[in-house]
Amino acid sequence: AQSVTQLGSHVSVSEGALVLLRCNYSSSVPPYLFWYVQYPNQGLQLLLKYTTGATLVKGINGFEAEFKKSETSFHLTKPSAHMSDAAEYFCAVSPNNAGNMLTFGGGTRLMVKP
Amino acid sequence: DAMVIQNPRYQVTQFGKPVTLSCSQTLNHNVMYWYQQKSSQAPKLLFHYYDKDFNNEADTPDNFQSRRPNTSFCFLDIRSPGLGDAAMYLCATSSVLAGGRYEQYFGPGTRLTVT
């Protein structure tokens, strides 16, 4: 079984500040990990994913995340927030032997202040 | 561009009146999913098709049904919508074939209002 915990349902940062969205997972098998972004009244868009290989993965819009097995974490970061980053962010885990079934975290709403 | 398309984007139906939401994909993916997402919540998987094989989540109400007539199309039927079924409904696809990219690709969603 797998689960995902996103710490902080709401995160507020100033424009230009560091963005850090936290994600911890549990999985009984090696996981695939994903971050999705959702803008209002839109579907989910993949930001980045970790499957195998390099543990620091870079995604779209300047975001990156690091898979830390020892901490069971996959936190999402961006060095400098932009107003257009305001959205809902979902972390998700998929067991690597389960045909792409996703378990989502509860989501974090990112607000960016001017 | 290859994509997942959902129609309509906004649907209003009356309490108890059957409604069908549609999803199509040009990605030729063999798996299609339907999620329900209520306000400020994560998407909740209702069911998925692996090719023609239908897989229902244990807690999906019987009121929700699905059809996949071919690879490209998938439909969500709500037989008797209640007020609690008002939500965003998301369709997604993925490929589990060799060389698949593992992630799910989402459509823009259909927002269902029940009056």
Side-chain angles (χ1 to χ4, degrees):
Chain A
Q2 53 281 333
S3 67
V4 179
T5 301
Q6 291 184 238
L7 292 175
S9 59
H10 292 79
V11 170
S12 181
V13 301
S14 297
E15 191 173 21
L18 171 72
V19 175
L20 171 61
L21 305 183
R22 298 178 186 274
C23 172
N24 288 88
Y25 71 91
S26 67
S27 179
S28 54
V29 297
Y32 294 154
L33 294 158
F34 307 85
W35 275 100
Y36 283 88
V37 61
Q38 186 178 32
Y39 299 100
N41 289 313
Q42 297 290 325
L44 277 66
Q45 179 183 8
L46 182 69
L47 274 178
L48 48 79
K49 65 182 179 184
Y50 168 79
T51 54
T52 59
T55 56
L56 180 64
V57 291
K58 296 184 183 300
I60 61 171
N61 302 339
F63 284 92
E64 62 182 38
E66 186 171 12
F67 170 56
K68 292 187 176 180
K69 184 178 179 180
S70 61
E71 299 177 8
T72 61
S73 69
F74 191 57
H75 301 329
L76 182 71
T77 61
K78 181 174 181 178
S80 177
H82 193 275
M83 296 297 290
S84 61
D85 295 326
E88 188 89 18
Y89 292 80
F90 291 97
C91 182
V93 63
S94 174
N96 67 359
N97 61 357
N100 301 1
M101 300 306 296
L102 292 177
T103 298
F104 286 96
T108 298
R109 181 167 298 278
L110 176 66
M111 294 167 285
V112 182
K113 300 175 291 186
Chain B
D1 286 344
M3 59 177 56
V4 182
I5 303 161
Q6 290 188 246
N7 286 307
R9 292 293 314 279
Y10 300 89
Q11 176 74 56
V12 180
T13 191
Q14 294 176 337
F15 183 93
K17 184 175 181 181
V19 65
T20 295
L21 309 182
S22 71
C23 176
S24 63
Q25 54 128 341
T26 60
L27 297 160
N28 201 33
H29 284 170
N30 58 334
V31 189
M32 295 187 76
Y33 312 78
W34 278 105
Y35 290 88
Q36 180 191 64
Q37 186 182 26
K38 295 190 175 180
S39 182
S40 300
Q41 296 184 20
K44 177 182 181 294
L45 183 65
L46 295 172
F47 24 62
H48 73 279
Y49 276 93
Y50 190 128
D51 293 320
K52 294 183 179 180
D53 293 333
F54 177 71
N55 299 270
N56 200 34
E57 293 300 296
D59 57 353
T60 298
D62 293 340
N63 196 29
F64 291 85
Q65 303 288 321
S66 185
R67 296 169 283 136
R68 190 180 185 186
N70 53 51
T71 300
S72 300
F73 285 87
C74 195
F75 300 98
L76 170 62
D77 301 309
I78 308 177
R79 293 191 296 187
S80 182
L83 297 178
D85 296 327
M88 175 77 91
Y89 290 87
L90 297 168
C91 175
T93 72
S94 72
S95 172
V96 294
L97 300 174
R101 296 170 59 81
Y102 310 113
E103 65 265 34
Q104 292 185 17
Y105 295 77
F106 285 81
T110 295
R111 181 163 295 284
L112 179 68
T113 300
V114 181
T115 61

